[in-house]
Amino acid sequence: RKEVEQDPGPFNVPEGATVAFNCTYSNSASQSFFWYRQDCRKEPKLLMSVYSSGNEDGRFTAQLNRASQYISLLIRDSKLSDSATYLCVVNNNAGNMLTFGGGTRLMVKP
Amino acid sequence: GAVVSQHPSRVICKSGTSVKIECRSLDFQATTMFWYRQFPKKSLMLMATSNEGSKATYEQGVEKDKFLINHASLTLSTLTVTSAHPEDSSFYICSARPPGQGYNEQFFGPGTRLTVL
């Protein structure tokens, strides 16, 4: 079983739609959780950290369920510019080593 | 946010040659940097952790004699792909986290796309 698993997609949605991605992780001792965004042939960039209480940043909402070991990302009112691959990332130890999921590809269409 | 640069951004080389990739933290000192590799349509895989002033820590399955890492200063880590072969063609990305408690994220360099002919 992979340490961090995501549905690779692609998710094809129209502009304005709401889309949700889930991610599961296998290490119950995982400490920190993130969603990164990666555009084609570019480096990953932090979209948002994920906190136990859930957090929201504009159109983006992240949730963490430690009991079930899954993380979610909700994107409301999708824009064309949201088209990218979304990476679920887990930090398992204080050494700041990140484990990446395989990514979920989102394509927002006009 | 913090800035990490990589050089070169793209390199094409013949099989058997060695290629050096530089990773620099431009506005902070990084005692630890990380090297990742990403194959097409795959996720980033951690290759090694680069430690300033000491030996790198390699992930299982990564040959330390083939992927030489040198972290000679607090702002520079280098990855040398020795005797490169076509299967080493990939996107190599480094990352670093600024020191202190204020930063929770790692900042990534723009990546180096290596093509071995």
Side-chain angles (χ1 to χ4, degrees):
Chain A
R1 182 186 172 189
K2 293 181 182 177
E3 283 193 59
V4 181
E5 290 205 66
Q6 294 180 249
D7 180 344
F11 284 60
N12 296 298
V13 303
E15 267 189 294
T18 295
V19 62
F21 307 137
N22 288 329
C23 163
T24 58
Y25 60 95
S26 60
N27 187 343
S28 59
S30 298
Q31 299 176 355
S32 306
F33 309 88
F34 310 90
W35 283 101
Y36 275 75
R37 170 193 171 132
Q38 186 175 26
D39 292 289
C40 188
R41 294 177 169 264
K42 299 288 186 181
E43 75 276 21
K45 293 189 177 177
L46 181 68
L47 179 65
M48 57 197 306
S49 300
V50 187
Y51 303 118
S52 296
S53 56
N55 49 302
E56 185 175 311
D57 183 1
R59 298 181 293 108
F60 300 86
T61 301
Q63 297 275 358
L64 167 63
N65 185 322
R66 285 189 183 270
S68 302
Q69 295 180 207
Y70 85 78
I71 306 149
S72 65
L73 176 68
L74 181 77
I75 305 175
R76 290 182 298 278
D77 188 22
S78 300
K79 311 290 184 191
L80 294 176
S81 57
D82 292 335
S83 298
T85 296
Y86 291 83
L87 302 168
C88 176
V89 184
V90 174
N91 184 340
N92 289 326
N93 58 44
N96 292 305
M97 291 170 57
L98 301 180
T99 301
F100 285 79
T104 298
R105 190 172 173 207
L106 171 66
M107 297 180 69
V108 182
K109 310 221 167 170
Chain B
V3 179
V4 176
S5 71
Q6 270 184 252
H7 177 80
S9 58
R10 185 168 188 167
V11 58
I12 301 172
C13 68
K14 292 182 179 179
S15 185
T17 59
S18 294
V19 176
K20 179 187 281 189
I21 303 170
E22 293 185 349
C23 177
R24 293 181 185 272
S25 55
L26 297 185
D27 51 1
F28 65 95
Q29 294 182 330
T31 54
T32 304
M33 291 183 176
F34 303 90
W35 286 98
Y36 297 84
R37 180 169 52 183
Q38 186 176 32
F39 291 106
K41 298 184 185 279
K42 300 291 185 183
S43 191
L44 278 75
M45 295 298 295
L46 180 65
M47 298 176 67
T49 303
S50 173
N51 304 298
E52 188 268 336
S54 65
K55 291 182 180 180
T57 305
Y58 289 82
E59 294 301 300
Q60 192 172 13
V62 178
E63 299 175 58
K64 62 180 180 181
D65 294 329
K66 180 168 180 65
F67 299 99
L68 301 179
I69 292 174
N70 187 320
H71 195 149
S73 79
L74 287 171
T75 58
L76 173 64
S77 174
T78 61
L79 168 68
T80 302
V81 183
T82 61
S83 187
H85 289 283
E87 57 266 30
D88 298 323
S89 299
S90 188
F91 191 44
Y92 292 86
I93 310 176
C94 69
S95 74
R97 191 189 84 138
Q101 296 298 313
Y103 284 96
N104 196 28
E105 66 175 292
Q106 287 188 17
F107 292 88
F108 287 83
T112 298
R113 193 161 300 278
L114 171 64
T115 303
V116 184
L117 303 176

